[in-house]
Amino acid sequence: MPTQPKLTRFNQNVLSKYQIYNSIFMTLPFDDVTKTGALLPLFHETCQKGFANQDNPTAIVESFFKKYQARRSPESQINLLFRFIQYIERQVVLFDAIEDAAFPIVNNMDGIGTLRSLKETVSAENKLEVLQKYLEEFKVRIVLTAHPTQFYPGSVLGIITDLTEAIRENDLLRINDLLAQLGKTPFFKHEKPSPFDEAVSLIWYLENVFYKSFGSIYDYIQQNIFDGKQIENNVINIGFWPGGDRDGNPFVTPEITLKVAGRLRLSIIKNYYRNVRQLKRKLTFQGVEERMSVLERELYKIITNEPTDFTLDFFVSELKAVKEVIIANHNSLYENELNSLINKTHLFGFHFANLDIRQDSRKHAQFFNDIVNALIESGSDIFPKNYHDLSESEQIKILSKVEGSIDLALIKDDETLMALETIKAIKTIQETNGEQAANRYIISNNQTTLHVMQLFAMLKLVAFQEELTVDIGPLFETITDLENAPKVMEELYTNPEYAAHLKSRGNNQTIMLGFSDGTKDGGYLMANWAIYQAKENLTKVSREHGIKVVFFDGRGGPPARGGGKTHNFYASLGPTIEDKEVQLTIQGQTISSNFGTLESSQYNLEQLISSGVNNSLSDTDLKMHPDNRDVMSDLSKRSYEAYVKFKSHPKFISYIEHMSTLKYYAKTNIGSRPSKRGKAEGLVFEDLRAIPFVGSWSQLKQNVPGFFGVGTALKHYEDANEFEKVQHLFKTSSFFKTLIENSMMSLSKSFFDLTRYMANDKEYGEFWNVIYEEYETSKRLILKLTGYKELMQEEPSGKASIAVRESIVLPLLTIQQYALKKIQELEKAEVRDEEQIKIFEKMVTRSLFGNINASRNSA
C-alpha cells in the first residue's frame, strides 16, 4: 500500500483524533468543565464571525454575553472568561500530546534527511569512505537554555508524556482518566523558579529522552556507517546553560553552578546504574556476573553519596573487559546491548552535558577593574599602578603575559566576588566531573579584543595559573559587532600568548553569533545576512591562521530569532563557511516540540547531522554567485533601512509598552531571569531582552521581527521592473530560499484582524497602519516571489498544524485583547479601580500561557 501524502497523514492521525478526544474532554463529568465546554464553541464561533465583520475584541466579548449569557453578572462574566482560558490551555496540551503521538507516522522516520536515507545515498554513490572520514570530525551540539518560553510545570509535562503514550496505544480508558487529571491540575506557577529548578526540569529531558535518542543515533552510526568499529569522535553532544548562564540573571550563583553540575553527574550515574542492573540480569555467565555486580555496587555508592574511588576510566575499562569475555567465551550474547552502554559512556562521561558559563562583557569590565584596583592597593606588582591610563593595546599586552594569582579576600564587592568564585567553580567541576563538564566561557555583547583578554587574564589569575583548560567564546550580537568581529579575531590570532592557548586547545576557536539580538537590532534580512557574511569573513581569517572556527548559533524558536526550519539553514551554507560543527541553542517549547519525545528527538537530530554532512558531500555548488550576492546585500540594506526607520518612529517604544503584553512577561513566573537587563525606570530599547520583545509581537499576532522590511526591500525591485533578479536569487540560492520560507511562517502566524481596532486609535492608529502595510506588502511580494498561491504552500502539514493551533487560541487572543483594552480604559478613568485593574492584568498574564504554548516556537 503506497504511503499517503503528509497532509493526509496529519488529518487522519492528528486532526481527526483531536476532534474525537476534545469531544470526550468536553463531556467530562465536572460541572465547570461541562458548562465551559458547552459555551466555548459558541464563543469561538462569535470570535470567528466577529473578526470576519471587522468587529473589535471588546464588541465580540460583549456580543457573546448579550446573545448567550445575558443574565450573568459582571463578576460571573469575568469568571467564565477565566474558565475559558483554563479550558483552552488544556486543549493546547491535548493537541500537543496527539501531535507528539503521531510524530513517527506524520514524519517519515527513514525519509530524506535521516541517517538511513543518508547511508543509502552515499552507498549508491560510492561515497561511504568520504562519509566516514567526515563523521570522524563532524559534530552537532544542541545547547539547552533556560530562556523563559515554556509555561508547563513539571506535573503538566508528566501528563503530556502519559497522554502521548495512551493516545499512541489508543487506550481510551486511560485517555479518559488523563483528560480528567488534566482538567484538575493547575497550570499556574505562583513563584518564579530558581535557576536550579530550571536545570532540574531540563535534566528530565536528558534522562528520559536524550540519553536514549543520542545513544540510538550513535549506535546506528557505529554499526551501519563504520561497520561496528569504534570511532573517537562523539558526533553528538549536549550543552547546558541553566546554572551557568549568569548574563542578566543575578540568581545564578557559584553555589547554583556547582549544585547543577552535581545534579548532572548524579543523573548520568543513575542512568548508568539502571542500565547496569538490566544488563546484570542478562550477563549471568562465568567471568562476567561478579564484575557486573561490582559495577552496580560502585555506581550505587555514588548515588547514595558513600565513599568510593570509582572513576569513569575504570567503569569503561571494566565494560570493555566484560565485552571481550562474552565475545571470547559466551557466543557474543548481549554484545550489542553492552556495546550501547559503552557508547553512552563515550557520549556522556560522568558529566552528562557540557555546562557553559556566560556573562556580559560590560560586567566583566567592572569585575576586572575591581581586581586591578584591589591588586594595586595591596601592593602587588601584577599590574602597573598606571594600568587604567594605558592604551587598549598596552593593556592587552599586559593581560596576555599576566602571571600570578589573586587572593579573593581582597575583593570587597559582592557581585565581583561571585563572578570570581564562579571561575573557581569551573575548576572544581572539572576536577570532579571531568574537563568536558565545564570548559567553555561565553562573553555576551563582546565588542573588542580587550573584552576577550580581560576574561583570559581573570581565568588565569583566579584558578588556572598552571594550564588554562577553558575555551573562551566571544558572542557577537549587534550588526556593528558582527562587522567588527573579523578584526577582533585577527588581533587575537596574532597575539602570541592567545595563539599559544589556542594551540593547547587543538587550534579550535568557538565564536557565538546572536540571531535573536541581531534581529532585534537590525531586522530579519539584515541580521541573517550579517551573520552569513560574518561567518564567511571569520572562516577566512581563521583558515589563514590555521584555526578551526566553530560557529555556535544563539537561536530562539521562531524565525525572528533564528529558528524555523534550522536544518534547512545549515544545509544551505556553502564552502566559504566552516561547517565541521553545528552548534545551536534550543530553548523553551522548542525543546519539548522538537526534542520532547524519543521519535522527535531522533528525527530532528538526524536532520541536523544530515544537513551538515550534505553540505560537504553534495556535488551542488552552494557558493553564492557574485550577482546574487549583490542582490542579497542590496535587499538586506533596504530592509535594514526600513526597519531602522520603523524603530525610530516616535511611537515605537510607546506602542510596544502600552499596546502589547511586554510588561506582563515578568509576571508569568516561568523563568528565573528579569525580563530586561538594565535598571532604568522607563523602557529602554537596548535593555529589552529578545524573548519578551519577539514574544510580545507574537501575542499581538503581528510578528514584526519576522518580516518587517522584507516587503519594502522586495518592492524596490518591483518598482524598478527588476523583480526577476530577486526571483533568480530565490531559485538559485538555498540560503535566501530558507530565509523566505521561514519568513512565510512568521506571516502565516500573523492575524491583523485581532488588532484592527487599533487603526482608529488617535495615538497609535497611524503606527498600526505602518505595520499592517508592511505585512500586506511582504505577503503579496513573497507570494509573487515564490509563485505560491498561499503562504507555506510547500509545507501543507506544517501549515495545517499552525491553522489548528491558531484556531484553538483564537478565543484566548480575543480575551487577552479585551482585557488589555479594559486596563487602558480603567487607567484613564478619573477614579482608578485598582481591584478591577488587577483582575484584568491577571487575565492578560494567564492568557500568555496558552498562546505561547500553542505556537510552540513563538518567542
Side-chain angles (χ1 to χ4, degrees):
M1 185 176 166
T3 305
Q4 293 171 313
K6 195 171 182 180
L7 180 59
T8 306
R9 299 199 303 271
F10 174 84
N11 288 335
Q12 289 177 349
N13 295 281
V14 179
L15 185 55
S16 297
K17 284 189 177 181
Y18 173 71
Q19 290 164 345
I20 293 165
Y21 295 137
N22 189 43
S23 66
I24 295 172
F25 189 41
M26 282 183 168
T27 55
L28 284 173
F30 306 132
D31 283 349
D32 282 356
V33 173
T34 307
K35 288 174 185 174
T36 309
L39 290 170
L40 184 56
L42 297 173
F43 183 54
H44 190 278
E45 184 184 24
T46 306
C47 293
Q48 284 181 316
K49 287 181 177 176
F51 287 123
N53 293 330
Q54 298 195 358
D55 294 339
N56 67 58
T58 304
I60 290 169
V61 172
E62 288 174 352
S63 70
F64 166 76
F65 283 119
K66 187 177 179 182
K67 187 173 180 181
Y68 298 108
Q69 297 285 296
R71 293 181 182 177
R72 278 186 183 268
S73 66
E75 185 183 358
S76 178
Q77 289 179 1
I78 286 170
N79 286 339
L80 180 61
L81 292 177
F82 272 111
R83 290 218 305 274
F84 281 160
I85 290 171
Q86 292 170 331
Y87 193 95
I88 293 164
E89 284 173 345
R90 285 150 180 81
Q91 284 183 310
V92 172
V93 168
L94 175 60
F95 190 77
D96 280 350
I98 292 167
E99 202 162 44
D100 285 346
F103 189 93
I105 302 168
V106 175
N107 296 278
N108 186 351
M109 300 298 285
D110 294 324
I112 293 170
T114 63
L115 286 175
R116 186 180 295 276
S117 171
L118 178 67
K119 162 82 181 337
E120 288 172 359
T121 302
V122 297
S123 297
E125 296 173 1
N126 290 321
K127 288 184 175 178
L128 189 58
E129 284 187 18
V130 179
L131 176 60
Q132 288 173 346
K133 191 167 184 295
Y134 189 77
L135 286 175
E136 282 168 359
E137 292 184 17
F138 179 72
K139 283 186 175 73
V140 169
R141 179 184 295 188
I142 58 169
V143 180
L144 307 186
T145 79
H147 293 346
T149 61
Q150 173 64 277
F151 288 79
Y152 294 140
S155 55
V156 176
L157 283 172
I159 294 171
I160 295 175
T161 302
D162 294 343
L163 193 53
T164 301
E165 188 182 315
I167 290 166
R168 192 176 286 141
E169 294 169 2
N170 286 317
D171 187 340
L172 277 174
L173 285 174
R174 194 163 167 232
I175 289 166
N176 198 68
D177 287 347
L178 287 163
L179 289 176
Q181 184 186 347
L182 191 62
K184 293 281 189 181
T185 302
F187 275 40
F188 191 66
K189 294 181 180 180
H190 296 285
E191 294 179 1
K192 273 184 175 290
S194 71
F196 184 70
D197 294 333
E198 291 172 330
V200 169
S201 65
L202 285 188
I203 288 171
W204 184 92
Y205 289 103
L206 297 186
E207 287 182 324
N208 295 284
V209 179
F210 293 126
Y211 182 75
K212 296 169 187 171
S213 62
F214 274 48
S216 297
I217 289 170
Y218 191 82
D219 290 348
Y220 182 88
I221 290 171
Q222 186 189 61
Q223 295 303 320
N224 295 280
I225 295 174
F226 285 88
D227 201 23
K229 295 188 193 78
Q230 185 70 37
I231 45 173
E232 290 304 310
N233 184 24
N234 56 16
V235 186
I236 40 178
N237 55 59
I238 311 170
F240 203 77
W241 274 18
D245 182 9
R246 296 176 53 80
D247 180 16
N249 193 339
F251 308 113
V252 179
T253 62
E255 292 75 24
I256 289 283
T257 303
L258 288 166
K259 198 175 172 185
V260 169
R263 184 59 172 256
L264 284 165
R265 184 174 191 264
L266 181 64
S267 298
I268 189 60
I269 296 294
K270 281 181 178 178
N271 276 32
Y272 291 153
Y273 176 72
R274 282 190 286 267
N275 265 188
V276 166
R277 276 180 66 89
Q278 290 161 359
L279 274 168
K280 186 186 147 201
R281 292 183 66 180
K282 295 176 179 179
L283 301 177
T284 52
F285 322 132
Q286 194 174 3
V288 295
E289 186 177 21
E290 181 53 35
R291 294 177 97 155
M292 294 304 291
S293 295
V294 170
L295 293 180
E296 181 191 14
R297 282 197 301 273
E298 292 301 319
L299 288 167
Y300 189 72
K301 282 182 185 176
I302 297 175
I303 294 167
T304 54
N305 209 22
E306 291 180 48
T308 175
D309 297 325
F310 192 66
T311 64
L312 175 65
D313 286 343
F314 177 75
F315 183 39
V316 175
S317 66
E318 277 298 281
L319 290 174
K320 286 181 177 177
V322 168
K323 179 182 167 182
E324 285 176 17
V325 173
I326 63 171
I327 290 171
N329 303 334
H330 303 294
N331 304 100
S332 299
L333 263 176
Y334 303 118
E335 181 198 349
N336 286 343
E337 289 173 52
L338 185 59
N339 198 62
S340 186
L341 177 55
I342 293 169
N343 285 343
K344 289 183 176 75
T345 64
H346 183 54
L347 293 174
F348 305 118
F350 271 7
H351 61 280
F352 217 157
N354 304 63
L355 183 63
D356 284 342
I357 308 298
R358 183 172 76 130
Q359 182 56 283
D360 191 282
S361 64
R362 291 163 291 195
K363 285 291 181 184
H364 280 152
Q366 172 192 324
F367 305 149
F368 184 73
N369 288 335
D370 281 353
I371 289 177
V372 173
N373 294 337
L375 284 168
I376 290 172
E377 285 171 22
S378 73
S380 165
D381 59 358
I382 291 175
F383 294 101
K385 289 186 172 57
N386 66 338
Y387 176 83
H388 294 302
D389 301 322
L390 299 175
S391 68
E392 197 166 298
S393 60
E394 288 173 317
Q395 287 183 348
I396 289 169
K397 197 171 181 181
I398 289 168
L399 297 179
S400 304
K401 300 177 187 296
V402 76
E403 287 184 0
S405 62
I406 178 166
D407 179 358
L408 298 193
L410 297 172
I411 302 298
K412 305 303 178 205
D413 182 82
D414 288 344
E415 196 180 6
T416 301
L417 190 59
M418 276 174 56
L420 304 186
E421 289 285 2
T422 299
I423 290 173
K424 289 183 76 172
I426 299 172
K427 186 76 178 286
T428 303
I429 293 166
Q430 288 191 358
E431 287 165 355
T432 53
N433 296 12
E435 190 194 303
Q436 282 184 293
N439 64 0
R440 185 164 71 178
Y441 200 126
I442 308 292
I443 309 172
S444 308
N445 190 44
N446 195 94
Q447 296 173 331
T448 65
T449 309
L450 184 63
H451 285 156
V452 174
M453 296 311 295
Q454 284 175 338
L455 177 60
F456 180 77
M458 277 197 288
L459 287 164
K460 293 179 82 170
L461 289 171
V462 174
F464 295 91
Q465 290 88 7
E466 292 174 19
E467 183 187 7
L468 181 52
T469 53
V470 179
D471 298 317
I472 299 172
L475 165 51
F476 300 103
E477 299 179 80
T478 67
I479 304 301
T480 303
D481 292 344
L482 288 165
E483 288 171 355
N484 291 338
K487 178 175 171 287
V488 170
M489 298 316 299
E490 173 78 36
E491 288 175 2
L492 287 168
Y493 293 154
T494 53
N495 179 304
E497 286 75 24
Y498 190 80
H501 165 64
L502 285 182
K503 190 174 182 182
S504 73
R505 307 295 293 163
N507 276 329
N508 293 324
Q509 171 67 56
T510 298
I511 299 175
M512 192 173 177
L513 302 159
F515 282 79
S516 300
D517 285 286
T519 304
K520 180 169 79 83
D521 182 53
Y524 180 69
L525 276 187
M526 176 54 90
N528 280 277
W529 181 235
I531 287 172
Y532 185 95
Q533 289 180 298
K535 282 187 174 183
E536 285 191 317
N537 294 329
L538 289 165
T539 297
K540 184 171 181 288
V541 71
S542 299
R543 286 174 177 172
E544 285 171 357
H545 290 278
I547 304 297
K548 189 187 96 174
V549 64
V550 175
F551 292 119
F552 174 22
D553 293 333
R555 295 179 174 277
R561 295 185 50 237
K565 298 286 185 182
T566 48
H567 55 270
N568 288 353
F569 174 87
Y570 289 113
S572 72
L573 303 178
T576 54
I577 293 176
E578 198 68 77
D579 62 352
K580 289 291 192 299
E581 289 196 33
V582 169
Q583 293 196 11
L584 69 159
T585 52
I586 309 284
Q587 55 203 248
Q589 3 38 346
T590 312
I591 297 173
S592 54
S593 61
N594 287 5
F595 300 93
T597 66
L598 287 173
E599 292 86 1
S600 63
S601 171
Q602 185 159 339
Y603 180 83
N604 285 302
L605 277 167
E606 288 189 18
Q607 293 288 325
L608 280 172
I609 293 169
S610 295
S611 66
V613 172
N614 279 331
N615 193 13
S616 286
L617 299 188
S618 173
D619 293 328
T620 308
D621 185 7
L622 290 171
K623 196 159 50 179
M624 196 173 277
H625 191 274
D627 290 347
N628 277 350
R629 186 176 285 275
D630 291 342
V631 175
M632 186 73 230
S633 293
D634 187 60
L635 282 170
S636 300
K637 182 169 79 64
R638 293 181 187 281
S639 172
Y640 178 67
E641 287 167 357
Y643 182 75
V644 169
K645 183 183 175 186
F646 172 65
K647 260 199 327 184
S648 60
H649 191 287
K651 293 297 177 189
F652 180 86
I653 291 290
S654 177
Y655 178 85
I656 196 167
E657 185 172 18
H658 298 293
M659 304 299 277
S660 82
T661 57
L662 181 71
K663 61 188 173 189
Y664 298 94
Y665 265 79
K667 300 176 183 180
T668 55
N669 291 333
I670 54 160
S672 65
R673 294 203 306 183
S675 59
K676 61 183 185 129
R677 282 187 171 90
K679 295 179 181 176
E681 285 297 315
L683 188 62
V684 179
F685 182 78
E686 287 70 27
D687 285 344
L688 260 182
R689 291 197 172 280
I691 287 170
F693 176 74
V694 173
S696 297
W697 290 112
S698 174
Q699 294 284 319
L700 283 168
K701 305 313 289 180
Q702 293 176 355
N703 289 322
V704 161
F707 70 81
F708 202 96
V710 176
T712 298
L714 290 172
K715 192 171 186 300
H716 165 78
Y717 283 83
E718 184 184 54
D719 292 345
N721 292 318
E722 293 182 333
F723 204 72
E724 72 280 354
K725 287 186 177 178
V726 287
Q727 287 173 320
H728 178 73
L729 176 64
F730 181 77
K731 287 173 184 170
T732 56
S733 168
S734 298
F735 172 73
F736 183 61
K737 187 171 187 284
T738 300
L739 291 190
I740 293 298
E741 286 173 347
N742 278 336
S743 192
M744 273 198 277
M745 189 187 293
S746 293
L747 292 166
S748 293
K749 292 185 177 184
S750 298
F751 181 61
F752 277 82
D753 285 344
L754 178 72
T755 55
R756 192 175 293 280
Y757 72 91
M758 293 181 189
N760 302 316
D761 188 275
K762 284 181 182 176
E763 187 173 357
Y764 297 110
E766 182 261 333
F767 186 73
W768 184 91
N769 278 302
V770 168
I771 301 168
Y772 182 61
E773 284 167 18
E774 183 65 20
Y775 163 80
E776 284 289 313
T777 304
S778 298
K779 181 180 174 181
R780 178 179 68 81
L781 290 174
I782 281 179
L783 289 175
K784 181 178 178 179
L785 174 69
T786 58
Y788 298 166
K789 288 186 171 59
E790 57 183 30
L791 296 171
M792 294 183 70
Q793 184 176 303
E794 297 296 295
E795 294 180 71
S797 65
K799 184 180 175 68
S801 177
I802 289 171
V804 177
R805 289 175 179 278
E806 296 296 309
S807 175
I808 291 170
V809 297
L810 182 65
L812 207 56
L813 293 162
T814 310
I815 293 168
Q816 187 181 81
Q817 284 297 317
Y818 168 77
L820 284 167
K821 195 72 180 155
K822 282 288 184 187
I823 292 166
Q824 290 166 12
E825 289 170 8
L826 288 163
E827 286 179 337
K828 287 174 184 173
E830 285 185 23
V831 180
R832 285 170 62 100
D833 187 335
E834 296 295 342
E835 203 57 44
Q836 282 287 297
I837 289 173
K838 277 182 186 171
I839 289 168
F840 285 111
E841 283 184 336
K842 184 181 177 185
M843 194 176 283
V844 173
T845 305
R846 287 301 309 277
S847 61
L848 277 165
F849 294 142
N851 287 338
I852 284 194
N853 285 332
S855 294
R856 281 205 155 183
N857 68 354
S858 61

